[in-house]
PDB file of all heavy atoms in Angstrom:
ATOM      1  N   ALA A 625     -99.663 146.379 -58.770  1.00 96.00           N
ATOM      2  CA  ALA A 625     -99.440 147.582 -57.803  1.00 96.00           C
ATOM      3  C   ALA A 625     -98.639 147.024 -56.644  1.00 96.00           C
ATOM      4  O   ALA A 625     -98.761 145.909 -56.219  1.00 96.00           O
ATOM      5  CB  ALA A 625    -100.755 148.151 -57.413  1.00 96.00           C
ATOM      6  N   CYS A 626     -97.773 147.978 -56.177  1.00 96.00           N
ATOM      7  CA  CYS A 626     -97.024 147.628 -54.973  1.00 96.00           C
ATOM      8  C   CYS A 626     -97.310 148.955 -54.061  1.00 96.00           C
ATOM      9  O   CYS A 626     -97.054 150.149 -54.411  1.00 96.00           O
ATOM     10  CB  CYS A 626     -95.561 147.560 -55.219  1.00 96.00           C
ATOM     11  SG  CYS A 626     -94.481 147.201 -53.832  1.00 96.00           S
ATOM     12  N   PHE A 627     -97.673 148.645 -52.753  1.00 96.00           N
ATOM     13  CA  PHE A 627     -97.773 149.626 -51.801  1.00 96.00           C
ATOM     14  C   PHE A 627     -96.756 149.404 -50.566  1.00 96.00           C
ATOM     15  O   PHE A 627     -96.544 148.279 -50.368  1.00 96.00           O
ATOM     16  CB  PHE A 627     -99.167 149.693 -51.229  1.00 96.00           C
ATOM     17  CG  PHE A 627    -100.189 150.293 -52.203  1.00 96.00           C
ATOM     18  CD1 PHE A 627    -100.801 149.423 -53.130  1.00 96.00           C
ATOM     19  CD2 PHE A 627    -100.430 151.574 -52.291  1.00 96.00           C
ATOM     20  CE1 PHE A 627    -101.816 149.888 -53.987  1.00 96.00           C
ATOM     21  CE2 PHE A 627    -101.379 152.060 -53.191  1.00 96.00           C
ATOM     22  CZ  PHE A 627    -102.019 151.269 -54.083  1.00 96.00           C
ATOM     23  N   TRP A 628     -96.324 150.509 -50.120  1.00 96.00           N
ATOM     24  CA  TRP A 628     -95.362 150.394 -48.928  1.00 96.00           C
ATOM     25  C   TRP A 628     -95.566 151.387 -47.870  1.00 96.00           C
ATOM     26  O   TRP A 628     -96.120 152.538 -48.114  1.00 96.00           O
ATOM     27  CB  TRP A 628     -93.884 150.452 -49.407  1.00 96.00           C
ATOM     28  CG  TRP A 628     -93.683 151.819 -50.029  1.00 96.00           C
ATOM     29  CD1 TRP A 628     -93.106 152.961 -49.414  1.00 96.00           C
ATOM     30  CD2 TRP A 628     -93.786 152.214 -51.466  1.00 96.00           C
ATOM     31  NE1 TRP A 628     -92.978 153.947 -50.282  1.00 96.00           N
ATOM     32  CE2 TRP A 628     -93.403 153.456 -51.546  1.00 96.00           C
ATOM     33  CE3 TRP A 628     -94.351 151.533 -52.571  1.00 96.00           C
ATOM     34  CZ2 TRP A 628     -93.423 154.234 -52.697  1.00 96.00           C
ATOM     35  CZ3 TRP A 628     -94.314 152.196 -53.709  1.00 96.00           C
ATOM     36  CH2 TRP A 628     -93.924 153.498 -53.860  1.00 96.00           C
ATOM     37  N   ASN A 629     -95.250 151.074 -46.604  1.00 96.00           N
ATOM     38  CA  ASN A 629     -95.383 151.931 -45.563  1.00 96.00           C
ATOM     39  C   ASN A 629     -94.192 153.011 -45.662  1.00 96.00           C
ATOM     40  O   ASN A 629     -93.023 152.709 -45.569  1.00 96.00           O
ATOM     41  CB  ASN A 629     -95.169 151.199 -44.244  1.00 96.00           C
ATOM     42  CG  ASN A 629     -95.401 152.049 -42.982  1.00 96.00           C
ATOM     43  OD1 ASN A 629     -95.017 153.298 -42.980  1.00 96.00           O
ATOM     44  ND2 ASN A 629     -95.956 151.437 -42.060  1.00 96.00           N
ATOM     45  N   LYS A 630     -94.668 154.277 -45.863  1.00 96.00           N
ATOM     46  CA  LYS A 630     -93.712 155.391 -46.052  1.00 96.00           C
ATOM     47  C   LYS A 630     -92.770 155.635 -44.885  1.00 96.00           C
ATOM     48  O   LYS A 630     -91.699 156.227 -44.998  1.00 96.00           O
ATOM     49  CB  LYS A 630     -94.350 156.672 -46.412  1.00 96.00           C
ATOM     50  CG  LYS A 630     -95.100 156.592 -47.739  1.00 96.00           C
ATOM     51  CD  LYS A 630     -95.716 157.962 -48.133  1.00 96.00           C
ATOM     52  CE  LYS A 630     -96.985 158.134 -47.296  1.00 96.00           C
ATOM     53  NZ  LYS A 630     -97.712 159.377 -47.568  1.00 96.00           N
ATOM     54  N   THR A 631     -93.171 155.264 -43.619  1.00 95.00           N
ATOM     55  CA  THR A 631     -92.387 155.416 -42.486  1.00 95.00           C
ATOM     56  C   THR A 631     -91.393 154.415 -42.408  1.00 95.00           C
ATOM     57  O   THR A 631     -90.368 154.583 -41.608  1.00 95.00           O
ATOM     58  CB  THR A 631     -93.243 155.480 -41.170  1.00 95.00           C
ATOM     59  OG1 THR A 631     -93.858 154.140 -40.954  1.00 95.00           O
ATOM     60  CG2 THR A 631     -94.345 156.528 -41.251  1.00 95.00           C
ATOM     61  N   LYS A 632     -91.478 153.295 -43.085  1.00 94.00           N
ATOM     62  CA  LYS A 632     -90.483 152.233 -42.965  1.00 94.00           C
ATOM     63  C   LYS A 632     -89.550 151.978 -44.256  1.00 94.00           C
ATOM     64  O   LYS A 632     -88.504 151.387 -44.163  1.00 94.00           O
ATOM     65  CB  LYS A 632     -91.205 150.939 -42.747  1.00 94.00           C
ATOM     66  CG  LYS A 632     -91.970 150.986 -41.388  1.00 94.00           C
ATOM     67  CD  LYS A 632     -92.352 149.545 -40.901  1.00 94.00           C
ATOM     68  CE  LYS A 632     -93.001 149.853 -39.554  1.00 94.00           C
ATOM     69  NZ  LYS A 632     -93.466 148.517 -39.015  1.00 94.00           N
TER      70      LYS A 632
END
Side-chain angles (χ1 to χ4, degrees):
C626 180
F627 289 91
W628 62 91
N629 184 326
K630 296 182 289 188
T631 65
K632 296 188 178 184

